[in-house]
């Protein structure tokens, strides 16, 4: 039996003992996970520095603060999330218990990504644990230091059988995907996303796919361009552009293009100094392969800012390109690097058309002081999310569902959405064997008279919450008596 | 199939024009669908009778009224469903506008089934239309008369630009699935579901799969055997057992079985008379192929037929049949029966009954009959299923407030009522930030520092809201 098969089998066996059902267990595991994040902050930061050249603060800001917030949110709300959820009843079920009971799915597979190796791999885990599942965690091998650390340390904090970490590359992942899971949560690119869904189809396993795409950023000429460019510069060059929700490219009118270039140039200098290469708070491309891929995208387009490359250091300077066209290399795939193309359009009409000609992105950014314009973009486009007048921050609001649509993904998570996504919401109707007289209406043999009564009562919708309970009970009792008299004598 | 592609292209253009977005449009279409059903009730009943020998009453309950109810519910609630949902924020985003909008996916495909040919097509349609999608409707060709009627009626009542009926068998469906849709809703079997999900994966199309399985009925503890038997008989033999939520088999002690059998026989006689074939209230099997499949099961079972067993090939009739002494590995336990055959398996305790159920795939519905609430509770807590109903069968799926769907092998996703609307909607997070407080944003810009970090931690934590 392969290592992967064993891990899954052990997780399943442990799940079937029922130990993840009690909330105490889940709370205990979540608290341990929180302790892990606190106690190992330094080791995590070191690993991320080696993987992506990220500074310690950047790691805390972009990886661990979010994790802590999510864990705390789950701890605070778990009892509420996991409780039965009563629903509105109809006349016939007025005496019954009708509710939705959240239940664990079983064994979840979480496939992480390399760009935020901790956030993107552990955030789904929080939801999985909270919902009472076991989870097999497969961190990305590309962020190899983080993967190794996760494999080494996580078992020291979490139940080894229920939440095993399985490291490896493509063949290990393929071996994992052959196993049967109760949900597969994948973060990564669309190409692999399709393969994950195809593998899941064999076992009819539901999936959540957090993919990417080219997230457009429209800048209206009448907005505060200085502030807009500060926020965009920040959003783009965080993690050297290797963020699924980074503004991939800018759309703006030709008249403001030079201004936009200037402002971004100023911000780059302010945030990353004159020499970003030596600056601690500017990171690196994750590896040579991605560096080469991104560098090749620049071909055929005009560099307005930056453009310096140092292959030996996996370094690409914060770069802006102007007068880029829709057919250029830059526009053929998600950039996932520090290249910011500017494409000029005649106005918001053309921008909307440009966006709609392409796959639905994970997020659309609009910078405008004009609410009407923003509402138009919302109404006439589709995307995972839409954020006006800033970048990235919608990620931090746990009440907002985070996920894509179309090519950018399916399903969503964060906060309570993670819990719901990784639960089965089971419909429960608890009836008694009494009041059998009323049921008689639906039994054969069917006469025309019975039918008209039945049609009236059986499925008629009453807004029962508005009627007084007692009056309703009286009505039901009366009905039962009537039916018994009329039909059963 | 060129004509299919053309239909989808037409719907896609219509969707891009934005015509399905306004509430008024959706409401009109839903109202028209309601008229379609009301104005053609007789024709619908005739078609259903032709396809399944469906008794008028069953058809009215399970195909007409349930759909009219769903339509009424959607029309009444559409406005509130379409409202943006405002959500709670953290301190850093307190001044911002954060909401979740429900937006249509685009062009969706709904594939119906033959056992409730109108219901299983139109109930999902209600959700899809309410959510503002364009819909390609593929009725099951096995229920041929209804297929034909739907193809005739839909274009007369619904916008032909936005909703298209597509007909055909396995080959045509396969070709249809090569086309890109924005959501595929399928009701049917697991094996077909696998190929649908595989086809969907090519385009990263999300799916809702309403499948089946063997829905167990556990009978344990103190029990009003008469009432239980009547409800069981009703749920099992409705539509001649061809319901995805029919109790497939029963688990109980030998003593309960002995008490149950005469109660079942009595209920059967009360409902269908001494000769069920002559009762106008007894359905038929949908096709010769399925009839033969069921007869073969009866032939191969090692159990003993104690009630029924009569059959008539020309009439596609099988009598309500109960089989006892069925072992776990009997042929009747290999796949979903989907017919009027009820195996009773004796398992001496509810705990063993639970283990039995848990050895199998998660079913679409799980039933427990008992007057003891502790028995009901234990089964509920120790099993998993799409839905759960105690002391009755099927009726849990008639409540539009409960999500109807499976889990594991019985399906993925759910619908009915608002759940249908949500299934066919994309929940888009929308956040509108202000231009002020750019200074505050400065906390997050490089160069990073310890100070900046601690302020940020405080402002982005959900707890900080409670101070305000």
């Amino acid at each position: 039996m392969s290592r992967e098969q064993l891990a899954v089998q052990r997780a399943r066996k442990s799940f079937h003992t029922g130990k993840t059902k009690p909330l105490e267990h889940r709370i205990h595991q979540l608290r341990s996970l929180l302790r892990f994040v606190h106690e190992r902050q330094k080791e995590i930061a070191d690993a991320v520095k080696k993987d992506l050249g990220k500074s310690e603060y950047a790691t805390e800001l972009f990886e661990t603060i979010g994790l802590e917030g999510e864990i705390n949110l789950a701890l605070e709300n778990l009892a509420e999330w996991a409780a039965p959820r009563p629903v509105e009843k109809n006349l016939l079920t007025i005496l019954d218990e009708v509710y939705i009971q959240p239940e664990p799915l079983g064994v979840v597979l979480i496939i992480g990504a390399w760009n935020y190796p901790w956030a993107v791999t552990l955030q789904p885990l929080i939801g999985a644990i909270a919902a009472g599942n076991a989870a097999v965690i497969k961190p990305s091998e590309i962020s190899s230091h983080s993967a190794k650390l996760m494999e080494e340390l996580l078992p020291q904090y979490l139940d080894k059988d229920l939440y095993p970490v399985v490291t490896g590359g493509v063949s290990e992942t393929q071996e994992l995907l052959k196993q049967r899971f109760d949900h597969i949560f994948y973060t990564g690119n669309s190409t692999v996303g399709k393969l994950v869904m195809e593998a899941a189809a064999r076992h009819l396993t539901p999936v959540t796919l957090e993919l990417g795409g080219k997230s457009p950023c429209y800048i209206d000429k009448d907005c505060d361009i200085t502030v807009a460019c500060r926020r965009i510069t920040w959003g783009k060059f965080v993690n050297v552009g290797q963020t699924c929700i980074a503004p991939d490219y800018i759309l703006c009118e030709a008249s403001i293009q030079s201004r936009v270039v200037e402002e971004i140039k100023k911000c780059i200098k302010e945030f990353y100094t004159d020499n970003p290469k030596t600056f601690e708070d500017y990171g690196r491309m994750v590896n040579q392969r991605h560096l080469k891929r991104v560098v090749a995208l620049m071909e055929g387009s005009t560099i307005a800012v930056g453009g310096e490359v140092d292959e030996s250091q996996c370094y690409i300077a914060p770069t802006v390109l102007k007068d880029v066209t829709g057919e250029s290399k830059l526009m053929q795939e998600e950039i996932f690097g520090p290249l910011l193309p500017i494409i000029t359009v005649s106005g918001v009409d053309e921008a909307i058309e440009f966006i709609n000609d392409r796959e639905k992105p994970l997020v659309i950014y609009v910078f405008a002081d004009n609410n009407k314009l923003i509402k138009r973009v919302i109404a006439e486009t589709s995307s995972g999310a839409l954020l006006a007048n800033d970048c990235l921050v919608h990620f931090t609001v746990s009440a907002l569902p985070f996920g894509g649509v179309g090519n950018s993904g399916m399903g969503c998570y964060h906060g309570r959405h993670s819990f719901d996504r990784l639960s089965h919401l089971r419909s429960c109707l608890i009836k008694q064997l009494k009041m059998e007289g009323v049921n008689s209406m639906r039994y054969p043999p069917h006469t025309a008279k019975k039918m008209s009564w039945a049609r009236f009562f059986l499925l008629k919708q009453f807004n029962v919450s508005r009627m007084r309970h007692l009056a309703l009970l009286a009505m039901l009792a009366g009905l039962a008596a009537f039916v018994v008299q009329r039909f059963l004598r | 199939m060129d004509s299919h592609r053309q239909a989808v292209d037409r719907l896609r253009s219509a969707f891009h024009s934005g015509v399905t977005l306004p509430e008024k449009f959706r409401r009109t279409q839903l109202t028209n669908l309601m008229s379609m059903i009301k104005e053609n009730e007789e024709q619908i009943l005739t078609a259903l009778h032709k396809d399944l020998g469906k008794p008028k009453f069953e058809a009215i309950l399970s195909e007409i009224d349930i759909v009219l109810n769903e339509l009424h519910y959607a029309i009444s609630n559409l406005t509130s469903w379409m409202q943006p949902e405002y959500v709670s924020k953290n301190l850093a985003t307190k001044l911002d506008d954060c909401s979740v909008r429900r937006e249509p996916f685009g062009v969706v495909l709904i594939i119906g089934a033959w056992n409730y040919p109108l219901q299983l097509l139109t109930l999902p349609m209600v959700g899809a239309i309410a959510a503002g999608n364009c819909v390609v409707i593929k009725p099951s060709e096995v229920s041929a008369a209804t297929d034909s009627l739907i193809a005739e009626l839909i274009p007369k009542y619904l916008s032909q630009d936005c909703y298209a009926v597509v007909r055909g068998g396995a080959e045509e469906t396969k070709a249809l699935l090569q086309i890109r849709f924005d959501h595929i809703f399928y009701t049917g079997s697991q094996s077909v579901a696998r190929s649908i999900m595989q086809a969907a994966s090519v385009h990263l199309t999300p799916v809702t799969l309403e499948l089946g399985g063997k829905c167990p009925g556990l009978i344990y503890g103190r029990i009003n055997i008469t009432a239980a038997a009547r409800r069981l008989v009703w749920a099992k033999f409705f539509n001649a057992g061809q319901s995805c939520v029919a109790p497939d088999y029963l688990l109980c002690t030998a003593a309960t079985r002995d008490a149950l059998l005469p109660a079942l026989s009595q209920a059967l006689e009360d409902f269908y008379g001494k000769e069920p074939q002559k009762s106008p209230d007894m359905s038929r099997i949908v096709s010769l192929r399925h009839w033969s499949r069921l007869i073969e099961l009866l032939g191969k079972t090692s159990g003993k037929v104690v009630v029924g067993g009569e059959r008539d090939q020309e009439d596609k009739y099988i009598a309500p049949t109960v089989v006892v002494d069925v072992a776990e590995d009997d042929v009747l336990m290999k796949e979903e029966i989907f017919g009027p055959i009820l195996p009773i398996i004796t398992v001496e305790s509810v705990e063993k009954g639970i283990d039995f159920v848990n050895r199998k795939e998660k079913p679409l519905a799980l039933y427990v009959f008992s007057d003891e609430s502790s028995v009901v509770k234990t089964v509920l807590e120790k099993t998993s299923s799409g839905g759960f109903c105690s002391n009755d069968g099927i009726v849990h799926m008639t409540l539009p407030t409960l999500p109807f769907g499976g889990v594991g092998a019985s399906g993925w996703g759910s619908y009915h009522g608002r759940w249908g609307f949500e299934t066919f909607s994309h929940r888009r997070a929308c956040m509108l930030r202000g231009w002020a407080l750019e200074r505050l944003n400065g906390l997050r810009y490089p160069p990073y520092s310890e100070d900046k970090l601690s302020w940020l931690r405080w402002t982005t934590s959900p707890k900080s809201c409670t101070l305000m």
Side-chain angles (χ1 to χ4, degrees):
Chain A
M1 208 185 283
S2 67
R3 181 183 68 129
E4 292 75 20
Q5 264 178 310
L6 266 168
V8 179
Q9 206 186 65
R10 260 204 316 270
R12 198 167 278 293
K13 203 158 163 227
S14 195
F15 175 78
H16 277 146
T17 62
K19 65 206 280 203
T20 61
K21 266 221 156 160
L23 297 190
E24 295 76 48
H25 163 91
R26 310 182 201 182
I27 288 172
H28 177 78
Q29 295 297 313
L30 287 172
R31 287 217 171 102
S32 296
L33 191 60
L34 191 59
R35 244 185 334 115
F36 167 71
V37 172
H38 279 151
E39 287 173 12
R40 304 298 184 158
Q41 181 66 41
K42 183 101 195 3
E43 282 120 309
I44 292 173
D46 282 341
V48 175
K49 180 128 193 112
K50 292 194 185 111
D51 286 328
L52 289 147
K54 234 189 247 181
S55 67
E56 201 178 312
Y57 289 128
T59 298
E60 206 179 325
L61 187 55
F62 296 107
E63 300 251 28
T64 51
I65 286 185
L67 279 174
E68 288 171 31
E70 284 276 310
I71 298 173
N72 282 321
L73 193 72
L75 285 170
E76 258 179 61
N77 295 284
L78 188 56
E80 189 199 316
W81 293 349
R85 304 173 188 182
V87 298
E88 204 179 288
K89 304 189 262 200
N90 62 17
L91 182 60
L92 281 182
T93 47
I94 192 76
L95 296 175
D96 307 320
E97 278 177 68
V98 187
Y99 58 90
I100 297 167
Q101 176 63 58
E103 298 185 340
L105 289 169
V107 182
V108 177
L109 170 63
I110 299 172
I111 301 177
W114 52 258
N115 57 339
Y116 293 90
W118 297 89
V120 139
T121 314
L122 296 184
Q123 273 215 26
L125 178 62
I126 296 167
I129 296 175
N133 301 291
V136 174
I137 303 142
K138 164 69 186 72
S140 170
E141 69 282 11
I142 293 180
S143 41
S144 56
H145 298 93
S146 295
K148 194 151 170 284
L149 191 69
M150 208 180 274
E151 185 180 31
E152 192 188 306
L153 291 184
L154 217 56
Q156 292 178 28
Y157 289 81
L158 299 181
D159 185 309
K160 283 190 261 290
D161 291 326
L162 286 171
Y163 317 107
V165 178
V166 174
T167 53
V170 173
S171 56
E172 286 81 5
T173 309
Q174 281 171 342
E175 179 63 23
L176 269 176
L177 285 170
K178 284 195 195 132
Q179 312 311 316
R180 184 178 183 183
F181 292 95
D182 300 294
H183 194 102
I184 298 177
F185 194 109
Y186 169 76
T187 306
N189 66 60
S190 314
T191 311
V192 178
K194 290 178 186 172
L195 298 173
V196 171
M197 189 172 171
E198 193 200 13
R202 265 172 253 140
H203 296 293
L204 286 174
T205 300
V207 301
T208 300
L209 304 174
E210 295 276 328
L211 310 176
K214 296 182 75 58
S215 299
C217 180
Y218 177 70
I219 308 176
D220 179 53
K221 72 178 195 305
D222 296 320
C223 76
D224 185 336
I225 297 184
T226 308
V227 173
C229 289
R230 277 171 79 75
R231 299 178 180 188
I232 294 170
T233 307
W234 173 74
K236 177 68 179 188
F237 299 110
V238 153
N239 206 27
V240 193
Q242 297 165 117
T243 308
C244 49
I245 45 174
D248 189 276
Y249 63 98
I250 289 176
L251 293 168
C252 68
E253 288 181 44
S255 56
I256 57 166
Q257 189 180 207
S258 327
R259 172 99 191 274
V260 168
V261 169
E262 275 315 299
E263 292 290 344
I264 295 179
K265 191 170 177 185
K266 265 198 281 179
C267 292
I268 290 173
K269 191 166 159 178
E270 188 190 322
F271 296 166
Y272 305 112
T273 76
D274 276 317
N275 195 356
K277 191 153 107 169
T278 57
F279 186 55
E280 201 203 10
D281 291 333
Y282 188 72
R284 294 289 180 269
M285 296 300 294
V286 72
N287 60 24
Q288 290 285 322
R289 183 172 76 89
H290 277 281
L291 178 124
K292 290 194 164 98
R293 175 187 67 79
V294 172
V295 169
L297 293 177
M298 287 197 268
E299 191 190 314
S301 297
T302 314
I303 297 175
V305 179
E308 297 87 11
V309 177
D310 183 343
E311 262 194 47
S312 67
Q313 278 204 39
C314 272
Y315 169 79
I316 301 178
T319 303
V320 181
L321 303 101
K322 65 179 192 177
D323 296 321
V324 180
T325 66
E327 295 72 41
S328 67
K329 280 189 160 188
L330 279 164
M331 292 307 290
Q332 301 318 308
E333 57 179 76
E334 188 175 356
I335 295 170
F336 228 65
L339 307 181
L340 183 51
I342 303 177
I343 296 177
T344 53
V345 288
S346 56
V348 73
D349 289 338
E350 199 187 330
I352 290 175
E353 208 185 307
F354 189 94
I355 293 172
N356 286 341
D357 276 342
R358 290 163 171 73
E359 294 292 344
K360 298 177 187 178
L362 193 49
V363 59
I364 291 177
Y365 295 113
V366 191
F367 284 81
D369 207 0
N370 174 352
N371 266 4
K372 255 179 102 181
L373 188 150
I374 295 173
K375 289 193 157 54
R376 243 199 90 190
V377 177
I378 294 178
E380 295 176 31
T381 61
S382 181
S383 57
L386 184 135
L387 174 49
N389 306 326
D390 208 338
C391 291
L392 311 186
V393 294
H394 63 294
F395 187 92
T396 68
V397 182
S398 346
L400 286 175
F402 183 76
V405 66
N407 250 40
S408 50
M410 61 178 82
C412 62
Y413 71 127
H414 281 187
R416 189 195 178 132
H417 305 291
S418 304
F419 179 90
D420 283 354
R421 186 75 185 168
L422 296 174
S423 296
H424 169 52
L425 300 179
R426 188 185 197 186
S427 293
C428 297
L429 173 58
I430 311 295
K431 293 191 75 166
Q432 308 298 324
L433 283 165
K434 309 184 229 211
M435 302 288 286
E436 181 56 11
V438 181
N439 266 357
S440 302
M441 264 192 294
R442 72 190 198 206
Y443 298 151
H446 301 304
T447 62
K449 269 237 166 84
K450 233 196 198 183
M451 219 182 293
S452 41
W453 272 111
R455 290 192 86 162
F456 180 71
F457 273 107
L458 279 178
L459 293 171
K460 195 77 178 180
Q461 298 293 307
F462 287 94
N463 193 340
V464 269
S465 52
R466 286 211 203 110
M467 295 171 103
R468 290 164 104 243
H469 205 144
L470 235 53
L472 217 50
L473 274 173
M475 203 163 115
L476 198 61
L479 169 68
F482 174 80
V483 167
V484 167
Q485 288 268 24
R486 196 83 176 66
F487 297 122
L488 299 186
R489 297 288 154 98
Chain B
M1 295 278 126
D2 258 338
S3 62
H4 290 179
R5 237 172 243 281
Q6 272 171 32
V8 179
D9 286 340
R10 193 178 74 238
L11 264 54
R12 216 167 259 300
S13 313
F15 181 76
H16 279 143
S17 74
V19 67
T20 59
L21 299 179
E23 188 185 320
K24 188 155 180 274
F25 177 85
R26 307 181 199 187
R27 196 179 286 285
T28 306
Q29 298 302 314
L30 291 171
T31 310
N32 292 352
L33 190 55
M34 211 169 191
S35 305
M36 182 186 105
I37 294 174
K38 284 185 174 162
E39 289 168 18
N40 296 280
E41 191 175 297
E42 277 311 308
Q43 275 190 286
I44 292 171
L45 294 176
T46 308
L48 290 167
H49 194 266
K50 212 161 161 203
D51 285 330
L52 288 141
K54 222 181 257 243
K56 187 166 170 187
F57 188 68
E58 281 193 9
I60 286 176
L61 264 194
S62 65
E63 303 258 29
I64 308 270
D65 280 2
I66 193 172
V67 180
L68 290 177
N69 241 47
E70 181 85 8
L71 279 163
H72 183 82
Y73 191 78
I75 292 169
S76 314
N77 290 288
L78 187 59
T79 310
S80 70
W81 291 351
M82 284 177 70
Q83 292 309 306
E85 181 195 341
Y86 289 92
V87 301
S88 62
K89 307 165 265 201
N90 53 39
L91 184 59
T93 51
K94 232 355 177 215
L95 296 178
D96 309 316
D97 193 329
C98 287
S99 64
V100 180
R101 280 169 51 97
R102 266 79 179 162
E103 301 184 343
F105 283 119
V107 180
V108 306
L109 171 63
I110 296 176
I111 302 176
W114 54 256
N115 56 336
Y116 293 89
L118 188 66
Q119 187 213 115
L120 296 177
L121 205 55
T122 46
L123 281 191
M125 273 171 73
V126 173
I129 295 173
N133 298 285
C134 285
V135 191
V136 172
I137 300 147
K138 166 68 187 71
S140 169
E141 71 284 8
V142 177
S143 41
T146 315
D147 180 15
S148 194
L149 186 63
I150 288 171
E152 183 199 317
L153 291 178
I154 297 249
K156 286 194 188 146
Y157 286 83
L158 300 185
S159 156
Q160 292 193 35
D161 290 328
C162 301
Y163 313 103
V165 178
V166 154
R167 304 176 65 188
E171 280 309 306
E172 286 84 0
T173 310
K174 218 164 140 189
L176 190 62
L177 288 167
Q178 310 276 335
I179 303 175
R180 182 179 185 180
F181 290 96
D182 300 303
H183 193 100
I184 298 176
F185 187 106
Y186 169 73
T187 305
S189 74
Q190 279 152 27
S191 47
V192 175
R194 277 189 200 99
S195 36
I196 288 183
M197 192 169 159
Q198 238 150 17
S201 70
V202 171
H203 299 293
L204 285 171
T205 300
V207 301
T208 301
L209 305 171
E210 295 273 328
L211 311 176
K214 297 180 76 62
C215 300
L218 284 79
I219 313 175
Y220 288 95
R222 231 179 33 249
I223 183 160
N224 174 342
I225 205 88
T226 313
R230 288 163 74 80
R231 295 174 187 196
L232 267 168
V233 165
W234 179 78
K236 175 67 183 188
F237 300 106
F238 195 92
N239 206 26
Q242 297 162 115
S243 313
C244 43
V245 286
D248 189 278
Y249 64 96
L250 298 181
L251 295 173
C252 60
T253 62
T256 304
R257 176 202 60 200
D258 294 337
L260 187 62
L261 284 172
L264 289 174
S265 299
Q266 185 60 53
L268 279 169
E269 197 181 307
D270 289 345
F271 294 176
Y272 305 112
K274 286 206 201 297
E275 287 178 83
Q277 193 175 10
K278 299 208 171 110
S279 162
D281 300 319
M282 183 68 203
S283 281
R284 297 292 182 265
I285 309 302
V286 71
S287 69
L288 203 54
R289 191 182 79 138
H290 278 280
W291 184 92
S292 306
R293 175 183 65 82
L294 289 162
I295 296 302
E296 200 181 316
L297 285 176
L298 276 179
K300 287 192 176 150
T301 179
S302 314
K304 193 170 93 187
V305 174
V306 290
V307 178
E310 298 88 7
R311 75 286 299 270
D312 181 338
Q313 186 169 358
E314 212 186 299
D315 197 15
K316 287 183 270 160
Y317 167 78
I318 300 178
T321 303
V322 182
V323 187
V324 300
D325 299 333
V326 176
E328 192 170 347
D329 57 0
D330 189 275
V331 66
L332 282 169
M333 291 305 290
K334 289 266 181 316
E335 45 177 68
E336 191 174 356
I337 294 171
F338 227 65
I341 302 170
L342 181 61
I344 303 182
I345 301 179
T346 45
V347 176
E348 284 309 314
S349 67
V350 68
E351 286 79 21
K352 291 215 160 72
I354 290 171
D355 288 339
F356 186 101
V357 165
N358 287 341
R359 281 197 286 276
K360 311 228 162 336
E361 292 294 341
K362 296 177 189 178
L364 185 55
L366 200 149
Y367 302 110
V368 190
F369 287 81
S370 184
D371 274 326
E372 290 178 48
S373 61
S374 57
V375 169
V376 172
K377 194 156 178 275
T378 308
V379 178
L380 177 58
E381 283 170 7
K382 296 205 152 67
T383 60
S384 184
S385 60
F388 178 91
C389 181
S390 68
N391 295 320
D392 212 333
I394 301 184
V395 289
H396 64 290
M397 61 96 74
T398 65
L399 266 167
T401 46
L402 282 177
F404 179 64
V407 65
S410 52
W412 176 12
S414 63
Y415 69 127
H416 283 189
R418 185 177 197 153
W419 304 93
F421 179 84
E422 296 280 329
T423 285
F424 286 103
S425 299
H426 165 51
R427 286 190 297 161
R428 188 184 196 187
C430 290
M431 185 167 167
L432 275 54
R433 295 214 83 184
W435 289 92
L437 298 181
E438 180 57 11
R439 282 274 179 81
L440 201 65
N441 267 356
L443 286 178
R444 72 192 195 201
Y445 298 148
Y448 301 127
S449 72
E450 185 62 57
D451 266 346
K452 273 186 177 180
L453 207 57
S454 32
W455 272 110
L456 266 173
R457 283 169 153 279
W458 188 72
T459 59
T460 55
S461 79
K463 269 201 163 129
S464 59
C465 298
T466 57
L467 287 175
M468 294 281 138

